Amino acid sequence: MLLIDDATKKQFKKFCEKNKPKDMETAIKYFTIFGGLDIKIDTTIPLKELIEKEILNKYSYLKNELTLFTGGYNVDQAILSGIALGDRRTTTSFKRAFVSFEEGMKCVEKLSERGVIEVEASQHFITNQRGDNKVAKKLLFTTPFLRFWYAFISPIYKGIKEGKYEEFYKNYENREAEFTDFVFEELCLELLTDLYKDDKLKNSGKYWDENNNIDLIARTTSGKLIAASCKYSNSKVKKSELTNLKNTCKEIGFEPDIFVLFTKTGFSNELKSLKGDTLKLYTEKSFKLLLED
């Protein structure tokens, strides 16, 4: 049912091979919901209609399958929803679930062993910083579908079970953009890895501390440092996005050799004029690279 043993790139490739979306925009949009769920869907059907057909109307079946997979314990379910609805930090996820840090970490260990989630640490060492042990780790679902389920389905299961979907649609419409951003970041990391095959990424991931956040940072085999911003937006990305990224890097004392911007729609002419060896720009069309062997 779930492709938990596959990395995000492989899940995305299998999704596209099985469902044949017409373009990368459709692929990313539908993968955000159905990624990792090993079923065939019709991507020509509007997304909300497809969610109702394949998920909401099949709630009982999917719930039983997920209970077998996750264990179905109430505390575990609360933590999973806490992860999906918050900033993914262990501390805030446990707070949302009303459990102590010790109890929460015991649940995380069990859920990690089952392949439901993974533990992610800030890549402080790429920036030559210490103190990452003081920064809360984050928790990552192994498939987009699991994150969708625990963000939008599990918290309001009673209404969905009774066939009342109004609350789901309201919640989904309010958080759709934010929800898509995260999966887009994961795909961007996979694409960044493929883009640097000639100078492979030695280390890569996300950076965060109490005050700053960088979507992606990396160090290549040759020692080049990369900082990237990922924005899944209908508006063209402007130079201000690059400025903000540079300011954040300066704030934490990180000096990248290359800045990379990923976006859905495109870039302003001013930003495109700056493109070169130290600035790389990629739109969703570039994600076709993930489908190659």
Side-chain angles (χ1 to χ4, degrees):
M1 176 188 171
L2 291 169
L3 304 173
I4 60 169
D5 294 326
D6 292 339
T8 301
K9 177 183 175 179
K10 195 168 184 180
Q11 289 181 29
F12 185 66
K13 186 176 181 181
K14 285 184 176 180
F15 175 85
C16 292
E17 288 174 345
K18 177 171 283 192
N19 300 302
K20 297 178 172 52
K22 64 179 181 179
D23 52 34
M24 283 296 101
E25 179 180 358
T26 303
I28 294 170
K29 185 177 180 181
Y30 283 67
F31 178 76
T32 297
I33 308 300
F34 294 96
L37 186 61
D38 193 17
I39 63 171
K40 184 173 177 57
I41 59 172
D42 183 353
T43 56
T44 64
I45 296 176
L47 185 55
K48 290 178 185 176
E49 185 179 328
L50 194 62
I51 290 172
E52 183 166 328
K53 176 186 176 183
E54 298 291 349
I55 298 177
L56 301 182
N57 290 347
K58 297 179 181 179
Y59 168 80
S60 295
Y61 165 74
L62 292 170
K63 174 65 167 62
N64 289 337
E65 291 293 311
L66 287 172
T67 297
L68 291 172
F69 175 52
T70 64
Y73 301 108
N74 289 338
V75 174
D76 291 349
Q77 303 302 300
I79 288 175
L80 290 171
S81 286
I83 299 167
L85 292 168
D87 62 7
R88 301 192 299 112
R89 297 185 190 225
T90 51
T91 47
T92 52
S93 298
F94 300 158
K95 187 175 181 180
R96 280 178 172 270
F98 300 102
V99 299
S100 67
F101 186 82
E102 291 74 17
E103 184 180 4
M105 286 308 297
K106 288 180 182 178
C107 293
V108 165
E109 185 176 347
K110 289 187 298 180
L111 291 167
S112 297
E113 289 175 354
R114 287 177 174 268
V116 181
I117 57 174
E118 296 173 349
V119 180
E120 182 181 28
S122 173
Q123 301 295 301
H124 271 57
F125 65 93
I126 295 179
T127 66
N128 291 322
Q129 289 192 52
R130 296 181 179 180
D132 57 321
N133 59 328
K134 298 179 182 178
V135 178
K137 289 182 170 56
K138 292 188 177 184
L139 303 169
L140 174 69
F141 284 97
T142 52
T143 73
F145 172 73
L146 282 170
R147 184 165 177 262
F148 172 80
W149 181 273
Y150 287 103
F152 296 109
I153 307 298
S154 186
I156 56 169
Y157 73 92
K158 290 182 179 178
I160 292 174
K161 187 177 181 180
E162 295 171 359
K164 300 174 182 177
Y165 303 154
E166 296 82 3
E167 187 176 3
F168 162 78
Y169 285 118
K170 180 181 178 181
N171 292 344
Y172 180 69
E173 287 167 7
N174 288 338
R175 298 191 62 234
E176 181 180 5
E178 171 196 346
F179 183 79
T180 305
D181 279 345
F182 176 74
V183 178
F184 185 62
E185 282 182 19
E186 292 299 299
L187 289 171
C188 288
L189 179 56
E190 296 287 353
L191 179 57
L192 189 67
T193 302
D194 279 5
L195 289 168
Y196 282 85
K197 282 185 176 178
D198 293 335
D199 185 13
K200 292 183 179 180
L201 301 186
K202 186 176 181 181
N203 310 106
S204 61
K206 305 175 191 296
Y207 175 92
W208 65 88
D209 58 31
E210 292 303 317
N211 302 307
N212 299 289
N213 181 79
I214 301 177
D215 293 339
L216 299 176
I217 62 173
R219 179 192 288 124
T220 70
T221 303
S222 69
K224 289 182 179 178
L225 299 175
I226 300 169
S229 171
C230 314
K231 291 290 176 286
Y232 195 76
S233 170
N234 289 323
S235 302
K236 288 187 176 182
V237 171
K238 299 179 181 179
K239 185 183 175 183
S240 58
E241 185 63 35
L242 176 61
T243 301
N244 291 338
L245 179 57
K246 287 183 175 180
N247 287 341
T248 302
C249 290
K250 185 177 180 180
E251 179 74 20
I252 66 173
F254 183 47
E255 299 181 359
D257 300 292
I258 303 167
F259 291 95
V260 182
L261 302 183
F262 296 98
T263 187
K264 171 186 175 182
T265 307
F267 303 93
S268 68
N269 290 331
E270 182 183 20
L271 194 51
K272 285 192 286 187
S273 70
L274 300 174
K275 184 178 177 181
D277 291 340
T278 60
L279 175 62
K280 306 296 183 181
L281 307 176
Y282 299 99
T283 65
E284 62 185 11
K285 292 180 181 178
S286 305
F287 287 81
K288 289 181 180 178
L289 182 62
L290 295 178
L291 306 184
E292 297 178 6
D293 293 327

